[in-house]
Amino acid sequence: MADPEKWNSENEEEGEEEDELDETSYKTQKDAILFAIDVSLSMLTVPPSPPDSKRRERDSPTLAALKCAYHLMQQRIISHPNDMLGILLFGTEKSKFEGGEDDSDRRGLAYPYCYLLADLDVPAADDVKNLKSLAEDEDEFQKLMVPAKEPVSMSNVLFCANQIFTKKAPNFTSRRLFIVTDNENPHAQDKALRSASVVRAKDLYDLGVTIELFPISRPGKDFDRAKFYDDIIYRSSPTDPETPVSTTVAAAATTGDGISLLNSLLSSINSKAVARRALFSNLPLEIGPGFKISVKGYILFKRQEPARSCYVWLNGEKAQIVKGTTTQIAEDTARPVQKSEIKKAYKFGGEQVAFTPMEVKELRNFGDPVIRIIGFKPLSMLPIWASLKQSTFIYPSEEDIVGSTRVFSALYQKLLKDQKMGIVWFIARKNAAAVIAAMIPGAERFGEYREQVMPPGMWLVPLPYADDIRQNPETTMVPSPDSLVDMMRTVVQQLQLPKGQYNPEKYPNPALQWHYRILQAMALEEDLPEKPEDKTIPKHRQIHKRAGEYVLEWGRELEQQFRDDDGPSIPAKKAKTSRAVPASSSTIALSDDVMLAHWKQNTVSKLTVQALKIWMESKNLTVSGKKADLVERVEGYFEHK
């Protein structure tokens, strides 16, 4: 199978004919992540469990961090096969860097108390096996995780990370260092080492590396970033202008509550595991004639599917990926057809209308890429169904037009305050189809651990044209009694989701996860799982406990309402009839013309059960069952007549 990027370049002319906005056609961004995990005595100590906890904490902070790296490596080896991952331990008695372990007399020449557990590289199946073995084998873990007797220099750790990124991932667009530690002030008594650490951190940022801190709070004491890490870790990277600014940082993981440490670390790391990637860059946002700012667009939500499979040739010395080619063949002679012999054609009235490539290009040209504001409307006027495709998140960029951030912020805050939306003309790229979209302000949102879940910005929601609207199906709404509505409201209130909102992070795609789990088990030679883990299956016991009695009560009320409506002892209400339908009686047989008129006006259900049975007996129709069954048989009689 050919390389996707090479395939796109070879078929550039065909790509101009596409009218769909396909984000996969933009350049891919490789990511390199290096874990720097503290191996101090406090990080190796299993924290005490609180008195009210039923489970004992089994993992030390260092072991929990290694398991986080293992989980992330499992995800990336399949979903992002080109990304790099590495693990650097600092504060260990042993030292290792690019080769074997350093002897004691050579420590000063290398990086003392730094142990490169997994070099920064694309993870292979053996790397995952080794890391899993270390996390599960207690003897092997204790043999390696011996804390150094002397404190480690953070400037040395940062310089070691600098060398790893420079040698292993020099051309990667996204490079990040994840520091996991519980030491809030490693150089409290040494200003020289503190200053050296600040310089080394600045060198990393100049190299394009973003440093992320994952602090571990000790029992009874919160982690204070201000003592040291605020000087070496920027809240937003000045060298990563494509990333929307985060106004807050993740809260420190707290120990001592079962597996909460592992869960909180996984939550914080997963929220920063994937770098945001621009869909388009420096697109002009035209607010008025001659008044433009520059914005970038991001796809923050995209349906994830299994990685594309490929064909492999196994008859050589080593397995090779098969490269695919496409050849056009004439139907009558089966000879290969050259691209110059082919024209684009459309059907019109049974004939084929051919176009030259230049004519096709002009046919699709609606102007240069732009986001042009047409006007503003109240946000309440946007119907819930008015969305054709996934939304695009836009954020200001200062690269082309200085001052874009300030203007964008003013427009965003005004729309958010007044609950207004902009109606825009949107062309994402050259030769793309023009879209009418709603520009909606979105407020900043935070997760359970105060990590940023949604950045502040605006969304472009594609709206339908008149040609996109289809005819609604003809439906008849049956009104429900107020008593049933009130009782159903109680049922719905009892079955609401936590916090009254849907959180997609709690519901992984079971089909996708099952595919990855089988693939992982086969690659790592593990036992195949018996069944997938599906978190979308309803929890029936909890549902019965919370709303079971209310549902049964609602069912009894529904049955009572049905009996009151269909029972022979209760007189039916007189139905208002039009001039074309004579008044009917429950004791007089209805003529065929009267019943036909009721059927045409869809009022058969308003007749009494006795009147329906008398007419049905004259037609030799079955009269058993409830009123709904009788009405269905009468309507079926006329439909098939």
Side-chain angles (χ1 to χ4, degrees):
M1 184 174 64
D3 184 25
E5 295 184 3
K6 182 178 179 182
W7 179 261
N8 288 339
S9 61
E10 292 176 352
N11 295 273
E12 187 175 352
E13 295 181 4
E14 295 182 8
E16 294 180 353
E17 299 177 2
E18 298 178 0
D19 56 352
E20 296 291 336
L21 178 60
D22 183 11
E23 61 272 13
T24 59
S25 63
Y26 293 88
K27 67 174 183 178
T28 56
Q29 182 182 16
K30 297 180 180 179
D31 195 16
I33 297 178
L34 178 64
F35 279 85
I37 303 174
D38 191 0
V39 191
S40 61
L41 185 61
S42 58
M43 286 284 288
L44 293 172
T45 303
V46 177
S49 300
D52 56 345
S53 177
K54 297 181 180 179
R55 291 180 296 183
R56 181 179 177 270
E57 183 79 44
R58 296 181 179 179
D59 296 341
S60 64
T62 298
L63 181 57
L66 283 177
K67 288 185 177 181
C68 285
Y70 167 69
H71 285 295
L72 188 60
M73 189 177 290
Q74 280 183 310
Q75 298 171 6
R76 291 302 181 94
I77 196 173
I78 298 176
S79 59
H80 299 81
N82 295 324
D83 290 354
M84 287 187 175
L85 215 66
I87 302 174
L88 174 66
L89 307 177
F90 65 93
T92 56
E93 186 178 39
K94 296 181 180 180
S95 300
K96 177 185 175 183
F97 180 75
E98 292 188 354
E101 296 181 8
D102 295 331
D103 297 328
S104 58
D105 58 342
R106 296 180 55 215
R107 264 184 199 167
L109 302 177
Y111 303 96
Y113 314 124
C114 293
Y115 192 95
L116 189 58
L117 180 64
D119 204 356
L120 186 64
D121 203 347
V122 176
D126 291 338
D127 299 327
V128 181
K129 291 180 183 179
N130 295 335
L131 187 57
K132 181 182 179 182
S133 175
L134 178 62
E136 295 179 351
D137 191 337
E138 186 176 352
D139 294 336
E140 185 180 354
F141 179 81
Q142 291 182 354
K143 181 180 179 181
L144 177 62
M145 302 298 172
V146 179
K149 298 178 181 179
E150 301 177 10
V152 63
S153 170
M154 285 305 298
S155 63
N156 216 20
V157 174
L158 297 176
F159 186 59
C160 180
N162 190 317
Q163 295 299 308
I164 294 173
F165 281 115
T166 303
K167 294 180 180 180
K168 294 296 183 178
N171 299 321
F172 275 47
T173 310
S174 173
R175 290 175 288 185
R176 291 175 292 167
L177 176 64
F178 288 179
I179 300 179
V180 184
T181 181
D182 66 346
N183 190 354
E184 60 185 20
N185 194 2
H187 302 309
Q189 307 297 329
D190 196 328
K191 292 184 178 180
L193 288 178
R194 182 188 184 96
S195 300
S197 301
V198 174
V199 173
R200 294 302 185 189
K202 182 64 168 58
D203 292 341
L204 278 172
Y205 280 108
D206 292 340
L207 188 64
V209 177
T210 303
I211 304 176
E212 299 282 2
L213 175 66
F214 298 93
I216 307 296
S217 290
R218 297 173 181 174
K221 189 177 185 302
D222 292 334
F223 193 98
D224 188 0
R225 291 181 175 86
K227 290 185 177 180
F228 177 77
Y229 283 98
D230 276 352
D231 294 335
I232 68 169
I233 296 178
Y234 302 152
R235 297 296 175 93
S236 60
S237 172
T239 59
D240 188 13
E242 292 187 353
T243 304
V245 177
S246 173
T247 57
T248 62
V249 292
T254 305
T255 60
D257 184 15
I259 57 173
S260 62
L261 173 61
L262 179 60
N263 290 335
S264 60
L265 271 178
L266 279 173
S267 175
S268 299
I269 289 175
N270 285 335
S271 67
K272 299 179 181 180
V274 181
R276 298 184 179 97
R277 302 174 180 181
L279 177 64
F280 52 78
S281 300
N282 304 322
L283 191 68
L285 172 58
E286 186 176 313
I287 302 176
F291 184 17
K292 299 179 182 179
I293 62 175
S294 180
V295 297
K296 292 186 177 182
Y298 304 84
I299 295 294
L300 298 189
F301 298 96
K302 183 180 183 298
R303 181 176 178 83
Q304 188 71 24
E305 297 179 355
R308 188 177 179 182
S309 61
C310 59
Y311 293 100
V312 181
W313 184 59
L314 301 175
N315 292 334
E317 295 181 359
K318 62 178 182 178
Q320 297 181 10
I321 297 178
V322 178
K323 295 183 178 181
T325 59
T326 302
T327 304
Q328 303 285 348
I329 299 177
E331 184 177 2
D332 52 353
T333 62
R335 71 175 181 85
V337 179
Q338 301 299 323
K339 186 180 293 186
S340 58
E341 302 178 67
I342 302 175
K343 284 188 177 182
K344 191 83 170 182
Y346 295 93
K347 287 185 178 181
F348 184 81
E351 297 182 358
Q352 301 287 348
V353 182
F355 292 86
T356 64
M358 185 59 66
E359 289 173 337
V360 173
K361 187 175 181 180
E362 290 296 328
L363 187 65
R364 298 175 180 273
N365 185 16
F366 276 85
D368 295 329
V370 69
I371 303 174
R372 182 178 296 115
I373 297 179
I374 301 174
F376 299 94
K377 292 285 185 180
L379 199 55
S380 58
M381 294 185 66
L382 181 66
I384 191 172
W385 48 263
S387 178
L388 288 179
K389 300 178 183 178
Q390 61 188 10
S391 303
T392 303
F393 181 79
I394 60 174
Y395 201 79
S397 171
E398 296 281 333
E399 293 183 13
D400 276 7
I401 304 176
V402 178
S404 296
T405 303
R406 180 171 297 182
V407 176
F408 184 92
S409 177
L411 178 62
Y412 159 78
Q413 294 181 36
K414 180 62 177 177
L415 293 179
L416 188 64
K417 179 181 178 182
D418 295 349
Q419 288 297 292
K420 295 288 184 70
M421 64 176 176
I423 306 298
V424 301
W425 173 264
F426 175 38
I427 302 178
R429 56 172 180 156
K430 189 177 180 181
N431 297 325
V435 176
I436 292 291
M439 187 172 66
I440 302 175
E444 187 176 17
R445 291 174 52 194
F446 304 100
E448 182 179 356
Y449 301 100
R450 294 300 297 170
E451 75 276 10
Q452 188 188 62
V453 176
M454 193 64 60
M458 289 197 278
W459 298 83
L460 297 180
V461 181
L463 302 179
Y465 289 105
D467 315 78
D468 302 326
I469 301 177
R470 299 185 178 182
Q471 183 64 36
N472 295 332
E474 295 183 2
T475 57
T476 303
M477 180 63 68
V478 179
S480 178
D482 293 340
S483 58
L484 286 177
V485 175
D486 294 338
M487 296 175 71
M488 181 53 68
R489 182 182 295 111
T490 304
V491 174
V492 173
Q493 290 174 349
Q494 292 297 320
L495 297 180
Q496 279 191 354
L497 292 171
K499 299 181 180 179
Q501 62 182 4
Y502 169 70
N503 183 7
E505 294 182 355
K506 295 185 179 295
Y507 303 98
N509 184 343
L512 184 67
Q513 296 301 320
W514 179 243
H515 170 84
Y516 284 162
R517 186 67 187 91
I518 293 295
L519 189 58
Q520 173 188 321
M522 296 181 66
L524 302 182
E525 299 177 356
E526 299 175 346
D527 295 334
L528 293 177
E530 296 180 358
K531 61 180 182 178
E533 182 183 3
D534 189 355
K535 294 186 178 180
T536 64
I537 297 177
K539 299 178 180 179
H540 297 99
R541 289 187 178 180
Q542 295 185 13
I543 292 175
H544 177 71
K545 183 178 180 180
R546 292 174 61 89
E549 187 59 37
Y550 297 106
V551 173
L552 294 175
E553 186 179 350
W554 183 87
R556 290 191 289 267
E557 178 66 19
L558 175 64
E559 186 176 357
Q560 184 63 37
Q561 292 283 348
F562 185 80
R563 288 178 178 175
D564 293 345
D565 186 46
D566 296 342
S569 60
I570 300 177
K573 295 181 180 179
K574 266 192 176 181
K576 293 183 180 179
T577 57
S578 61
R579 295 181 181 178
V581 183
S584 61
S585 171
S586 61
T587 57
I588 301 176
L590 301 178
S591 65
D592 292 349
D593 293 337
V594 173
M595 185 62 75
L596 179 61
H598 276 289
W599 176 72
K600 289 182 178 180
Q601 296 189 8
N602 199 23
T603 57
V604 177
S605 60
K606 295 184 178 181
L607 299 175
T608 62
V609 174
Q610 188 174 359
L612 291 172
K613 288 183 176 181
I614 293 174
W615 184 86
M616 293 173 67
E617 287 175 350
S618 66
K619 302 299 178 185
N620 295 323
L621 299 176
T622 305
V623 295
S624 61
K626 298 181 180 180
K627 182 179 179 180
D629 301 326
L630 305 182
V631 173
E632 185 177 355
R633 294 191 192 109
V634 172
E635 292 177 345
Y637 172 82
F638 287 107
E639 289 175 357
H640 297 91
K641 188 175 179 180

